Amino acid sequence: MRDYFHKTTSAAPLAVFRMLFGLMLFGSIVRFWSNGWIADLYITPHYFFPFYGFEFVKPLGQYTYVLFAICGLSALLIAIGLFYRVATVSLFVSFTYIELMDKSTYLNHYYFTSMVCLLLIFLPAHAYFSVDAYRHRSLLADQIPVWCIDSLKLFVALLYMFAGLAKLNSDWLLHAQPLRIWLPAHNDLPLIGFLFNYPWVPYVFSLFGCLYDLSIPMLLWNSSTRSLAYIAVVVFHGLTAMLFPIGMFPYIMIVTALIFFPASFHQTIIRQLSSWLSISYQFTRPQRLYSYQPIVANLVIGFFAIFFAFQVVFPFRHLLYPGELLWTEQGYRFSWRVMLMEKAGYAQFTVKDQSGHQTIVNNTAFLTPLQEKMMSTQPDMLLQYAHILRDYYTQEGFKNPEVYVDSYVTLNGRLGRPLVSPSVNLADKEDSFKHKEWITSFNDTISGL
Amino acid sequence: MNQFRWKQIGFACAFMAALWACGGSGTDTPTPTPTDQASSDRKAMLTNIADNIIVPSYANFKTKFDAMVVKSDAFAAKPDKTTLTDFRQAWVDAYTEWQKVELFDVGPAEQYTLRNFFNIYPTSVTGIEDYIATGSGTFDVPASYPKQGFPALDYLINGLDTTDDAIVARYTTAADAAKRIAYLKRLTTQMNSQFTTVYTAWTTGGYRDTFINCTALNAGCSTGKLVNGFVLNYERYIRSGKFGIPSGAMTNGTVAPDKVEAYYKKDLSLTLAKTAHQASIDFFNGKNVKTGQEGPSLKTYLNGIGAKDSQTGKSLVDIINAQFESSNQKLAVLKANLADEIKSNNAAMVAVYTEMQKVVRMLKVDMTSAMSITITYTDNDGD
């Protein structure tokens, strides 16, 4: 073990990763901005859904643009490796802040990005082929501890493993849900569309999707299977990009998987870049080792140990809750559960008080279509919204308003049912990490992890 | 080293084999309904809906509407009890036929918001009288929607007074008789021009081809828009407009009998509601307007993609049709004048609302989820 932490390797893979990741993130921010989503998601809405424990994280009005600008600039700085430490901290903070502002926009790959930013703060990705190293030659090094790269590989491997484990359930494997619903929607695609009319196709897709997630880390790690595995990565994520509206995620994963390639591959890239930029040989071949100060190394390794222990345990927290995970979503987020559910719902709230006030709530007056869609299927958001309504109608003159919801939710093709009993007054239910006993029981079984 | 690798590969193979076995055994337990390739062809569905439902429904409406305009013009030329009676009958026919096209809130009808110019009620009596008095006023702004269309005509031919003689007098001897006649003409002209725009877009404007060829399921394409318009119409204009709001079911029990459709005609409201409801059912089942035969439709498509309650295995189409039938049963016990029902038998009105609410959920949640369609219209239930 001690030997492992003294092993060194080429710094090229980490440098290439830094550049690609930074550019990718910069591109994502530009895309987000130019689509007008900053205003649509964080400025126009009247209300937001913060994460439990992070209620202080709120959009900043017009300054939200500044937040995104900082985030984009930080990503660009990381790509070129300028002011690396400051940029990684500001990227991590700004990106995570954005992610936490409203849970209706939660995506696993935002969480992934956020966590990679966190790791990058402590990794010497700027030691090689960066502006920082160019300006301060004392920093320049082409060798780094091997665990620096392995930790990124491990994190990617964990993501895939958990995504694969989550697919080991009866809905996914035995009933091909939700792909059975999603694939026929694309039966008009050229060339492959006709395939989606065959009932066995979603089963095959489900099976391969599961096998892919479970095996791809191993196949990427193993040098003899790596090239084929990477082709699989490109095909798999390319296909998901074509079929599902999942934004940048496929591209981020296609780029991230390059970290598994050997140093020689990345050195070729660096060499090519150097010749285009006319960068001297000494700069790319300094023959120096980046080493942490012993005390810093111990602290960073200790922190990484805690980080990975957390990452291994946290996705299993749903085991602490009774009830069906896909139905209650208690412990669902931050666990690499992707594409597992076709869930849709309808929630109509009634607010009333003892003195005879009563009203049916027009959700549109409070929420955006996206927020309403997310709220109607996720219990914690139903509760948050009920509290928004409670507080609003208290101001409107209701005395201790009671909030009830008439909800109707379908999960993976099961006929809709109420998610919350219509007789539960949500106004006096408090949010917490405890089990929400007011969620109706699922009434069906999904076996598996 | 070599040994280690073999072990690894062996383990991987065993693991995958186990998974295969797991997955494989699953495929034959609940036998999946074979996807019928023809039924899940959205182009075939859209073609049937365009050629055998939407366009012929519009054509039927045009016939009834044109006939009404003729009677309206005859009444305007010579207002008396005979021409009034003829006009009223033609209005009933056209208004009833309208119920069979209001649900097509897709394409040009959506673009030009056809419904706003034909059937926004309760009508605004003071607004209409203001427009008549000034002899002018735009018909194109939202505030003007309750001053036009069938509900405005309802007021003008049924609601001006209690006897036919008194109503005819408003068009003959009253001081503003000429202005009132002119307003009738303005109304029918406005309706005609709005409808013609929509209808010709389908027949000669090329929209029919656009419609059948945009087969993707995203929000911008035909199936998504068609289903959104259909569900919206059922939810907001059948469930809420015809029952939920007047019965007070959606307004904290505050009844509003004056908000029923065709309020001045009195005995037409149930017929209109039943016609609209049946049109929705027929549309769902793909009933050819000319032959009455069922063709490619939401029903065949849902069956084609094997949509069923994955818990019980019951066909979603059967579940939805059964719920349509439950609503029909509640509709069947109502009397013709819904304003009276609200005053004396409101529980029966609320019962219709309750059953229709169940249909709304199935259409809006179960059906769209099964089809991978996103509901993009926004609720305004509280309004």
Side-chain angles (χ1 to χ4, degrees):
Chain A
M1 200 65 180
R2 182 161 291 265
D3 280 355
Y4 173 76
F5 285 109
H6 286 115
K7 264 200 202 159
T8 60
T9 183
S10 164
L14 192 58
V16 171
F17 177 76
R18 166 178 57 75
M19 291 188 281
L20 289 174
F21 184 75
L23 284 177
M24 205 80 187
L25 223 56
F26 178 72
S28 304
I29 298 289
V30 169
R31 169 175 178 263
F32 208 91
W33 196 311
S34 61
N35 280 341
W37 289 344
I38 300 177
D40 289 353
L41 298 176
Y42 299 115
I43 297 177
T44 334
H46 305 298
Y47 297 95
F48 298 95
F49 291 86
F51 286 89
Y52 183 70
F54 291 91
E55 288 81 0
F56 59 92
V57 179
K58 294 191 184 87
L60 310 170
Q62 290 301 319
Y63 294 107
T64 312
Y65 283 107
V66 178
L67 183 65
F68 274 83
I70 292 173
C71 190
L73 179 68
S74 308
L76 205 55
L77 287 177
I78 287 172
I80 61 171
L82 178 61
F83 308 130
Y84 177 78
R85 293 287 180 209
V86 177
T88 46
V89 172
S90 76
L91 180 66
F92 169 67
V93 172
S94 59
F95 193 91
T96 309
Y97 192 97
I98 291 168
E99 191 200 340
L100 293 176
M101 287 193 297
D102 190 343
K103 65 170 75 143
S104 20
T105 63
Y106 172 80
L107 289 175
N108 281 292
H109 78 268
Y110 290 165
Y111 175 51
F112 172 75
T113 304
S114 206
M115 290 300 103
V116 169
C117 293
L118 178 62
L119 295 180
L120 281 178
I121 295 176
F122 304 97
L123 293 176
H126 60 325
Y128 186 58
F129 208 68
S130 73
V131 178
D132 281 344
Y134 196 82
R135 296 168 74 214
H136 307 287
R137 291 299 168 108
S138 58
L139 178 68
L140 182 62
D142 57 356
Q143 292 285 307
I144 54 171
V146 75
W147 61 262
C148 292
I149 290 175
D150 282 353
S151 54
L152 283 177
K153 292 184 187 171
L154 176 62
F155 189 50
V156 173
L158 280 177
L159 176 152
Y160 278 118
M161 285 302 293
F162 278 114
L165 288 175
K167 291 184 174 74
L168 294 177
N169 71 64
S170 52
D171 267 20
W172 183 271
L173 286 175
L174 304 187
H175 306 297
Q177 289 283 17
L179 291 184
R180 207 163 133 181
I181 293 174
W182 290 341
L183 292 181
H186 297 279
N187 62 7
D188 57 342
L189 278 182
L191 292 175
I192 56 167
F194 77 97
L195 277 174
F196 303 142
N197 285 320
Y198 294 100
W200 51 267
V201 169
Y203 289 90
V204 173
F205 270 62
S206 295
L207 187 59
F208 273 97
C210 177
L211 288 178
Y212 169 84
D213 282 341
L214 289 171
S215 59
I216 203 75
M218 199 163 63
L219 299 177
L220 279 171
W221 219 305
N222 192 323
S223 61
S224 61
T225 51
R226 189 173 298 129
S227 312
L228 275 175
Y230 195 71
I231 292 172
V233 168
V234 173
V235 169
F236 180 85
H237 287 297
L239 207 57
T240 57
M242 195 169 71
L243 293 176
F244 310 115
I246 47 181
M248 298 292 288
F249 179 67
Y251 309 106
I252 289 181
M253 293 319 288
I254 287 174
V255 165
T256 303
L258 289 175
I259 192 82
F260 288 94
F261 278 78
S264 56
F265 171 85
H266 294 92
Q267 265 147 4
T268 315
I269 296 177
I270 300 268
R271 216 175 299 132
Q272 193 60 55
L273 283 174
S274 308
S275 78
W276 284 338
L277 299 169
S278 320
I279 289 170
S280 73
Y281 186 77
Q282 282 113 330
F283 186 62
T284 55
R285 289 286 167 84
Q287 313 268 6
R288 284 189 52 207
L289 169 67
Y290 180 94
S291 52
Y292 290 90
Q293 305 214 330
I295 174 104
V296 176
N298 285 338
L299 283 174
V300 170
I301 290 169
F303 171 73
F304 274 37
I306 295 168
F307 175 85
F308 282 107
F310 176 83
Q311 286 297 340
V312 168
V313 173
F314 202 56
F316 286 113
R317 72 189 186 284
H318 69 277
L319 296 174
L320 300 174
Y321 294 103
E324 170 51 50
L325 172 64
L326 299 189
W327 182 248
T328 69
E329 297 195 41
Q330 299 185 113
Y332 189 82
R333 299 187 195 98
F334 307 107
S335 307
W336 318 120
R337 296 172 194 283
V338 279
M339 320 279 310
L340 291 179
M341 299 193 291
E342 163 60 34
K343 208 173 182 186
Y346 174 95
Q348 182 174 281
F349 287 79
T350 302
V351 183
K352 58 182 171 193
D353 71 3
Q354 296 299 334
S355 47
H357 291 99
Q358 179 168 338
T359 185
I360 291 178
V361 176
N362 172 11
N363 293 335
T364 322
F366 294 86
L367 307 179
T368 64
L370 175 76
Q371 288 175 321
E372 184 181 0
K373 180 173 154 42
M374 294 297 163
M375 176 277 294
S376 61
T377 60
Q378 300 177 30
D380 58 341
M381 291 180 74
L382 279 167
L383 183 64
Q384 280 177 300
Y385 182 49
H387 289 178
I388 290 170
L389 295 174
R390 176 194 65 193
D391 298 344
Y392 175 84
Y393 283 101
T394 303
Q395 294 215 317
E396 292 289 291
F398 283 51
K399 284 217 178 74
N400 299 323
E402 298 167 15
V403 181
Y404 300 92
V405 62
D406 177 11
S407 65
Y408 187 81
V409 173
T410 169
L411 170 63
N412 286 346
R414 291 170 183 83
L415 199 66
R417 301 183 53 242
L419 185 57
V420 177
S421 158
S423 60
V424 169
N425 174 14
L426 290 171
D428 51 47
K429 299 290 173 198
E430 283 310 314
D431 201 1
S432 74
F433 284 129
K434 289 196 195 118
H435 170 55
K436 295 174 172 57
E437 80 295 337
W438 41 266
I439 302 172
T440 57
S441 66
F442 181 50
N443 232 7
D444 195 4
T445 324
I446 301 173
S447 37
L449 288 167
Chain B
M1 189 66 190
N2 245 339
Q3 214 177 2
F4 176 65
R5 174 161 301 168
W6 278 117
K7 240 186 205 168
Q8 229 175 6
I9 292 169
F11 174 75
C13 287
F15 186 62
M16 288 184 188
L19 275 171
W20 266 111
C22 264
S25 73
T27 46
D28 50 24
T29 18
T31 329
T33 324
T35 310
D36 180 343
Q37 216 150 323
S39 314
S40 57
D41 178 355
R42 288 188 291 279
K43 187 165 179 176
M45 171 178 80
L46 294 172
T47 307
N48 181 53
I49 288 174
D51 295 350
N52 296 324
I53 300 179
I54 297 183
V55 174
S57 294
Y58 277 146
N60 287 347
F61 175 67
K62 182 174 164 51
T63 307
K64 299 284 165 95
F65 178 75
D66 288 349
M68 183 192 84
V69 174
V70 169
K71 299 295 181 189
S72 171
D73 289 347
F75 174 74
K78 183 173 170 288
D80 60 27
K81 286 209 292 191
T82 316
T83 51
L84 178 63
T85 308
D86 287 353
F87 183 12
R88 280 175 175 162
Q89 186 54 49
W91 171 85
V92 166
D93 294 345
Y95 202 177
T96 307
E97 203 66 27
W98 164 258
Q99 305 293 330
K100 303 178 192 172
V101 298
E102 188 172 333
L103 67 161
F104 310 133
D105 202 355
V106 60
E110 185 198 15
Q111 185 188 344
Y112 299 105
T113 66
L114 189 63
R115 178 190 290 109
N116 288 337
F117 304 105
F118 273 82
N119 198 19
I120 299 300
Y121 59 91
T123 200
S124 166
V125 170
T126 52
I128 292 172
E129 292 298 341
D130 280 353
Y131 267 24
I132 291 173
T134 55
S136 63
T138 174
F139 279 133
D140 298 324
V141 296
S144 72
Y145 298 156
K147 302 173 192 170
Q148 56 187 309
F150 289 112
L153 289 173
D154 181 26
Y155 165 69
L156 289 170
I157 60 178
N158 297 311
L160 288 176
D161 214 319
T162 45
T163 68
D164 291 1
D165 285 324
I167 291 173
V168 169
R170 300 289 295 271
Y171 293 92
T172 49
T173 56
D176 62 353
K179 284 180 167 179
R180 197 166 293 274
I181 288 175
Y183 194 70
L184 277 183
K185 187 70 195 163
R186 283 188 68 199
L187 287 181
T188 52
T189 306
Q190 158 78 355
M191 291 163 84
N192 190 43
S193 91
Q194 296 292 338
F195 177 71
T196 305
T197 308
V198 169
Y199 185 51
T200 51
W202 276 96
T203 51
T204 54
Y207 181 71
R208 180 255 179 206
D209 291 341
T210 311
F211 178 79
I212 65 167
N213 287 314
C214 195
T215 56
L217 277 176
N218 53 42
C221 254
S222 306
T223 313
K225 286 184 166 187
L226 183 72
V227 168
N228 265 281
F230 168 65
V231 179
L232 168 100
N233 182 67
Y234 193 92
E235 177 179 21
R236 201 176 291 169
Y237 296 96
I238 299 181
R239 179 206 67 166
S240 305
K242 298 185 200 313
F243 295 94
I245 293 170
S247 72
M250 298 177 66
T251 51
N252 190 19
T254 313
V255 297
D258 55 330
K259 289 186 177 170
V260 299
E261 199 172 21
Y263 174 65
Y264 300 100
K265 177 71 173 83
K266 298 195 180 347
D267 58 357
L268 187 64
S269 40
L270 178 64
T271 304
L272 296 180
K274 280 183 168 173
T275 307
H277 194 251
Q278 192 58 45
S280 290
I281 298 172
D282 290 346
F283 170 79
F284 176 79
N285 289 292
K287 202 160 165 185
N288 184 317
V289 167
K290 291 170 287 189
T291 66
Q293 301 274 316
E294 289 185 1
S297 58
L298 293 178
K299 169 180 169 170
T300 56
Y301 182 76
L302 285 167
N303 284 333
I305 59 174
K308 50 184 147 187
D309 176 6
S310 61
Q311 191 169 356
T312 60
K314 267 181 84 174
S315 140
L316 185 58
V317 163
D318 291 351
I319 294 172
I320 291 174
N321 270 327
Q323 190 53 45
F324 272 135
E325 185 48 36
S326 302
S327 300
N328 266 342
Q329 284 171 8
K330 300 292 177 190
L331 275 171
V333 300
L334 292 172
K335 295 196 195 70
N337 183 342
L338 295 182
D340 283 353
E341 291 290 78
I342 290 166
K343 291 174 202 156
S344 60
N345 186 24
N346 197 34
M349 286 289 286
V350 174
V352 172
Y353 168 80
T354 306
E355 292 307 312
M356 287 185 168
Q357 169 67 0
K358 294 179 192 164
V359 176
V360 167
R361 291 166 157 180
M362 289 174 183
L363 296 179
K364 201 175 176 181
V365 179
D366 297 308
M367 179 177 82
T368 59
S369 175
M371 293 177 75
S372 273
I373 287 177
T374 308
I375 287 287
T376 48
Y377 72 83
T378 48
D379 300 304
N380 64 353
D381 271 356
D383 290 359

